[in-house]
Amino acid sequence: DAKTTQPTSMDCAEGRAANLPCNHSTISGNEYVYWYRQIHSQGPQYIIHGLKNNETNEMASLIITEDRKSSTLILPHATLRDTAVYYCIVRGTGNQFYFGTGTSLTVIP
Amino acid sequence: GAVVSQHPSWVICKSGTSVKIECRSLDFQATTMFWYRQFPKQSLMLMATSNEGSKATYEQGVEKDKFLINHASLTLSTLTVTSAHPEDSSFYICSAANRVYQPQHFGDGTRLSIL
């Protein structure tokens, strides 16, 4: 199962775009990339997922490189409520999620 | 849509008792449900995968006799922590998916404290 690598922490100014990178260099051809976030003491919240094309929804955009070895989650206008731990996950062969350490994003007023 | 309800949200009990946690998919049928545990300031650790009507598949190092999982219907899975001890105190989270490649949807977790 592919592993992911993310920076431990990041800061972002309120109102600015938050760009969260993720490396998944061992990803295989049919494995999707999923992004979730977890606010303290809650269950993870689904944000977005993709296979190889860029994706956008009401929460965020997902940019996947052409070789699929890395991706970036973009929160276009970060707010204080976006402060959370963000997890990039590559789904396992049995549909399992193996969480890495994630990126702790702090949005600064 | 895609709501997963977990109950109870918080439980405190004495050492040696068994505790059951329920996970329900409220508006979709979950062919697969997953159970995780999370210690403070750590990431989620997958404990087991359960498919409706079949035995759960446990991750390496997770005691199947300690953590009993039942997935009797397409909307309900339960995790029973048997003979719980203080070291079992943790945040337990379930998730559900209705088909392969679809996102997992998570419950809000159960905080278990064993005295």
Side-chain angles (χ1 to χ4, degrees):
Chain A
D1 297 329
K3 293 184 179 179
T4 60
T5 305
Q6 299 176 253
T8 302
S9 63
M10 293 180 64
D11 292 338
C12 177
E14 187 178 17
R16 299 286 213 161
N19 296 281
L20 291 89
C22 178
N23 286 318
H24 32 78
S25 58
T26 60
I27 194 170
S28 61
N30 62 348
E31 290 181 322
Y32 283 74
V33 179
Y34 298 81
W35 282 84
Y36 285 76
R37 70 182 182 185
Q38 186 180 28
I39 297 171
H40 182 63
S41 297
Q42 296 181 21
Q45 176 190 22
Y46 166 74
I47 301 173
I48 199 167
H49 74 286
L51 182 62
K52 53 184 176 180
N53 297 321
N54 297 339
E55 302 287 346
T56 296
N57 63 21
E58 65 277 5
M59 289 183 69
S61 294
L62 174 60
I63 308 298
I64 302 174
T65 57
E66 193 169 341
D67 62 7
R68 301 203 334 113
K69 292 184 177 182
S70 66
S71 61
T72 301
L73 177 74
I74 301 172
L75 308 179
H77 305 286
T79 70
L80 298 179
R81 290 184 296 177
D82 292 323
T83 293
V85 178
Y86 287 77
Y87 294 101
C88 165
I89 304 161
V90 174
R91 187 183 57 85
T93 53
N95 206 27
Q96 296 96 338
F97 282 176
Y98 295 101
F99 282 75
T101 54
T103 296
S104 178
L105 175 69
T106 302
V107 179
I108 301 169
Chain B
V3 177
V4 175
S5 174
Q6 196 171 333
H7 178 81
S9 56
W10 192 23
V11 59
I12 302 173
C13 61
K14 294 181 180 180
S15 182
T17 58
S18 295
V19 179
K20 180 183 284 189
I21 302 170
E22 290 188 351
C23 179
R24 295 181 183 271
S25 57
L26 298 186
D27 53 0
F28 67 100
Q29 293 186 325
T31 54
T32 310
M33 287 185 168
F34 306 86
W35 289 94
Y36 300 80
R37 66 187 299 182
Q38 184 176 33
F39 292 107
K41 298 188 178 181
Q42 293 188 21
S43 186
L44 282 77
M45 183 189 77
L46 178 65
M47 299 175 66
T49 302
S50 74
N51 293 296
E52 185 263 340
S54 61
K55 290 184 178 181
T57 302
Y58 291 81
E59 295 296 310
Q60 191 172 8
V62 177
E63 299 175 60
K64 61 181 180 181
D65 294 332
K66 175 76 169 176
F67 300 99
L68 300 180
I69 292 172
N70 183 277
H71 191 167
S73 77
L74 285 172
T75 59
L76 174 64
S77 177
T78 60
L79 168 69
T80 302
V81 183
T82 61
S83 187
H85 293 286
E87 59 267 28
D88 298 321
S89 298
S90 189
F91 190 49
Y92 291 87
I93 309 170
C94 73
S95 72
N98 62 350
R99 65 185 70 154
V100 180
Y101 300 119
Q102 291 302 308
Q104 292 182 24
H105 298 281
F106 288 79
D108 278 337
T110 296
R111 191 159 302 281
L112 175 63
S113 295
I114 308 298
L115 304 177

